Amino acid sequence: MEKHVLALQLSHILGEKLTRDWIYENIEVPKKEKMGDLAFPCFKLAPAFRKSPQELARELAPQLKHDLFECVQPVSGYINIFLNQEFTTEHTLKQILTERASYGKHSFGEGKTVVIDLSAPNIAKPFSMGHLRSTVIGNALANLAEHCGYETVKINYIGDYGTQFGKLLAAYKMWGNEERVKSNPIAELTKIYVRFHEEAKEDPELIEEGRGWFKKLEQGDEEALTLWKWFKDASLEEFDKIYQMLGVEFDLTRGEAYYNDKMVATVDLLKEHQLLAESKGAQVVRLDEEGLPPCLIKKSDGTSIYATRDLTAAIDRYQSYSFDEALYVVGHEQSLHFQQIKHVLGKLHFPWARDVKHISFGMMLQNGSKMSTRRGKTILLKNVLKEAIQQAKINIEEKNPGLENKEEAARQVGVGSVIFHDLKHDRRNDVEFSLSDMLTFEGNTAPYLQYAFVRAHSILQKGAFDPHQAETHLNDEKAWPLIKQLRAFPQIVEVAYKEYDPSKVAKYLLELARLFNQYYTHTKILQGEQLQKKLTLVYGFSIVIKEGLHLLGIEAPEKM
């Protein structure tokens, strides 16, 4: 709020030369408390007003007046603003208590729809740690979008088509065993898929065999379709178990194969716009002007490629949802692909092509290398989640053996630890898989945050706090850092969504929990004066940290 007030006042004072949005973006939060709670640098104003930054600061500072501002000082070309702590504390706590779970919500997304493509595992392959990133980043972005007012559509675009399935069909025909596949479908299909690639190194003709089976699948061969549907149904059943553990739901689950009979219309549209060109027997859309290699539409053998399906899917999604944004939460190794898709859609004169955005992320690494199913180098997410839950249960047994519902608490803590380990990293960075780091229940982890919430809940219970008796007029210097952090939550939500970066919420929550624990350590909350006021602050903290965890897709147990 105070940044908006400051930006509004400065824009009125400075006139039309600078917009309120520009001023808002340039307001800073000083690193040292002695320099104020907010600061505005006048250096960028100097050329436009032909005055030194120091002179501008001296002129502007006396004109800034508001109940929020305790003191406004010009210092070395900066305007330093100290907030009125008493006024700000009361306003912040009142707002949190009034809005509760809605605290931090925004309206800039109201009336708009965002479609989010996330998770997207391939059938007949294990749901590995490599699939975790798209799933939890996409789910967190959907939660953030909803908190900003958007209507969200979460789509799980299953990889159930393409030449790799021709290879799988070929592998099954050569080495598959029906009973073994029925008893353990994913593991058995992965085993023969890996074997296919190993033997293809010595026998290149196997690759042609795989292509032949994919062509059969595209042409509707009965045997190929029957096997493919069996593999798909078995895979989806396994995937659903993982999503249930993660607490992730989708509005639509749809495979690439859905667009098999719809791609003809897309190819016809490309022809109509005279975009198709022949290249070595294949059909492509040239992107020379964009500085990109051609986008392959049809291979020389006439089979389709995933670019054709992605173009068709994008058109279908706009026709179905009239989205304002279409986010593809896919690894950065697919950056070129999505650049090509966006430019081809633009060449088709779809104005919404500009709203198609690739939300890239780094890889989940194992010993510094990318995980790969075809090389048999992968770690199953299901196993990691189970181990995390088991470790959480052991910790709970050691620290709180009398706890009721241990199984449920262990699930919340264990799953939360896996999700948070991913989301605390900037999505653009690679993440090294480390089970020990994931399961550490101290430091920058979900259990650290969850325990801060548990501690707050316990304090409120011991103090018999009644929200209806809340008192917001707290006068406590030690509470000020925590108040400022609570006040920052709405801005963090906005920035996290606009930059498509859930790690901003994760890092915010770590600092929030640290400041709460600091306050708890140095303040006798249940003793002395201002009891109800201190409990109101604890209650406000509990609301914000619980909602922040929810945005990341993590539950907050009341006891652990």
Side-chain angles (χ1 to χ4, degrees):
M1 175 185 174
E2 52 273 12
K3 284 184 70 175
H4 288 286
V5 170
L6 178 57
L8 179 62
Q9 288 200 2
L10 282 172
S11 67
H12 281 314
I13 295 167
L14 296 170
E16 298 179 357
K17 286 188 178 181
L18 299 165
T19 67
R20 189 194 313 176
D21 288 342
W22 183 90
I23 294 170
Y24 181 89
E25 292 298 324
N26 282 276
I27 295 172
E28 301 175 1
V29 177
K31 293 181 180 179
K32 296 180 180 179
E33 288 187 14
K34 66 179 183 180
M35 299 177 72
D37 301 305
L38 295 175
F40 182 77
C42 295
F43 301 93
K44 293 180 182 179
L45 303 180
F49 290 90
R50 297 182 180 180
K51 294 182 181 179
S52 71
Q54 294 79 6
E55 185 179 359
L56 281 166
R58 288 194 298 269
E59 288 181 5
L60 293 170
Q63 301 181 62
L64 297 172
K65 296 178 182 179
H66 194 276
D67 289 342
L68 274 167
F69 305 155
E70 179 73 27
C71 178
V72 182
Q73 298 176 344
V75 180
S76 302
Y78 283 86
I79 302 172
N80 292 344
I81 295 98
F82 293 82
L83 298 178
N84 183 318
Q85 293 186 15
E86 193 172 335
F87 179 89
T88 304
T89 297
E90 184 169 15
H91 183 275
T92 302
L93 293 178
K94 278 184 176 179
Q95 187 177 359
I96 294 172
L97 264 64
T98 300
E99 298 178 10
R100 303 201 183 185
S102 295
Y103 181 62
K105 283 196 171 183
H106 296 277
S107 59
F108 61 82
E110 286 182 5
K112 299 178 181 178
T113 299
V114 57
V115 172
I116 304 178
D117 184 314
L118 68 155
S119 196
N122 292 322
I123 67 167
K125 291 185 183 179
F127 201 119
S128 72
M129 285 299 298
H131 294 103
L132 175 68
R133 303 218 69 195
S134 174
T135 306
V136 298
I137 292 170
N139 189 58
L141 288 178
N143 292 337
L144 284 164
E146 289 175 4
H147 217 64
C148 294
Y150 289 92
E151 183 78 24
T152 63
V153 182
K154 292 190 286 185
I155 298 178
N156 192 5
Y157 189 45
I158 300 292
D160 65 351
Y161 218 62
T163 54
Q164 68 267 38
F165 297 105
K167 296 172 185 177
L168 181 62
L169 291 170
Y172 179 79
K173 290 298 293 181
M174 287 184 282
W175 311 300
N177 179 287
E178 184 177 352
E179 290 306 315
R180 286 202 296 267
V181 172
K182 282 183 177 178
S183 63
N184 196 354
I186 300 296
E188 188 62 27
L189 292 172
T190 301
K191 180 180 173 182
I192 62 173
Y193 184 74
V194 171
R195 180 178 176 182
F196 181 92
H197 282 277
E198 288 175 348
E199 300 209 7
K201 293 175 185 176
E202 305 298 327
D203 183 6
E205 288 186 10
L206 284 177
I207 299 296
E208 290 304 317
E209 184 76 11
R211 286 173 179 160
W213 272 99
F214 178 55
K215 195 160 188 178
K216 284 184 180 182
L217 185 61
E218 281 210 308
Q219 293 171 346
D221 178 82
E222 187 175 344
E223 183 182 16
L225 282 171
T226 300
L227 288 173
W228 171 80
K229 189 175 186 308
W230 174 31
F231 299 160
K232 180 178 179 178
D233 291 344
S235 299
L236 291 176
E237 190 175 335
E238 289 297 308
F239 294 160
D240 284 343
K241 294 175 184 177
I242 300 293
Y243 293 131
Q244 191 171 3
M245 292 178 78
L246 290 171
V248 174
E249 297 179 350
F250 300 94
D251 299 295
L252 177 67
T253 297
R254 177 169 285 170
E256 291 182 60
Y258 174 82
Y259 296 104
N260 191 34
D261 61 350
K262 298 172 179 59
M263 289 185 289
V264 175
T266 301
V267 174
D268 287 344
L269 193 61
L270 292 168
K271 288 178 181 175
E272 183 183 320
H273 284 75
Q274 299 181 338
L275 293 174
L276 284 182
E278 190 171 314
S279 176
K280 298 179 182 178
Q283 290 185 304
V284 303
V285 175
R286 296 198 179 281
L287 298 170
D288 301 340
E289 293 178 3
E290 290 77 14
L292 299 173
C295 181
L296 182 58
I297 301 299
K298 272 195 172 184
K299 295 181 181 179
S300 56
D301 63 2
T303 56
S304 63
I305 192 169
Y306 60 91
T308 325
R309 291 187 286 278
D310 272 357
L311 288 168
T312 308
I315 295 168
D316 177 67
R317 289 174 189 180
Y318 188 79
Q319 290 173 344
S320 299
Y321 303 109
S322 296
F323 57 72
D324 296 276
E325 287 185 296
L327 309 183
Y328 289 81
V329 187
V330 184
H332 60 58
E333 64 270 24
Q334 293 295 322
S335 293
L336 173 60
H337 168 73
F338 284 105
Q339 287 180 56
Q340 290 175 317
I341 294 299
K342 189 179 179 84
H343 283 299
V344 173
L345 290 170
K347 285 179 176 291
L348 288 169
H349 303 300
F350 290 123
W352 48 265
R354 64 179 179 272
D355 302 313
V356 172
K357 301 174 183 177
H358 176 207
I359 310 302
S360 64
F361 55 83
M363 294 182 286
M364 181 72 74
L365 304 177
Q366 182 183 2
N367 299 322
S369 301
K370 180 183 177 181
M371 297 178 183
S372 171
T373 303
R374 71 175 62 182
R375 296 198 304 268
K377 184 181 179 183
T378 188
I379 296 173
L380 299 184
L381 177 57
K382 178 173 66 176
N383 293 344
V384 173
L385 290 171
K386 285 181 178 178
E387 190 163 348
I389 292 169
Q390 182 59 31
Q391 185 60 51
K393 189 176 179 182
I394 291 171
N395 287 359
I396 289 170
E397 288 284 2
E398 290 176 354
K399 297 177 181 179
N400 193 0
L403 178 67
E404 297 179 1
N405 300 320
K406 291 178 189 174
E407 297 286 342
E408 177 64 7
R411 181 193 63 78
Q412 292 173 317
V413 173
V415 173
S417 69
V418 175
I419 295 173
F420 190 80
H421 179 267
D422 189 302
L423 294 180
K424 71 180 180 181
H425 295 92
D426 187 305
R427 63 173 169 81
R428 293 162 293 193
N429 296 336
D430 293 340
V431 177
E432 179 69 36
F433 171 77
S434 171
L435 193 57
S436 59
D437 286 352
M438 234 174 248
L439 300 180
T440 298
F441 286 72
E442 297 175 357
N444 297 339
T445 64
Y448 172 74
L449 300 178
Q450 290 168 319
Y451 188 70
F453 174 77
V454 168
R455 172 173 280 167
H457 182 73
S458 175
I459 293 170
L460 294 169
Q461 281 195 317
K462 289 177 182 177
F465 178 73
D466 180 358
H468 296 98
Q469 303 299 318
E471 296 181 21
T472 57
H473 196 71
L474 176 65
N475 185 11
D476 186 351
E477 185 75 27
K478 293 177 183 176
W480 181 236
L482 180 56
I483 288 291
K484 287 198 291 183
Q485 187 72 359
L486 290 171
R487 193 167 182 78
F489 184 61
Q491 183 186 356
I492 290 294
V493 171
E494 179 179 359
V495 172
Y497 180 72
K498 287 184 174 179
E499 296 185 10
Y500 310 115
D501 185 7
S503 75
K504 293 195 180 302
V505 175
K507 290 166 186 171
Y508 165 87
L509 292 177
L510 288 170
E511 179 63 9
L512 179 67
R514 187 190 70 80
L515 291 171
F516 170 73
N517 288 331
Q518 179 179 291
Y519 181 70
Y520 171 82
T521 301
H522 295 102
T523 305
K524 294 181 179 179
I525 296 174
L526 295 172
Q527 299 175 25
E529 299 178 352
Q530 301 191 94
L531 173 61
Q532 285 302 313
K533 296 173 184 178
K534 289 183 288 185
L535 288 175
T536 299
L537 172 60
V538 173
Y539 182 62
F541 163 79
S542 72
I543 289 173
V544 175
I545 196 165
K546 183 177 182 179
E547 186 56 32
L549 286 168
H550 167 73
L551 290 175
L552 298 179
I554 298 171
E555 296 179 54
E558 294 183 350
K559 296 180 180 180
M560 59 185 273

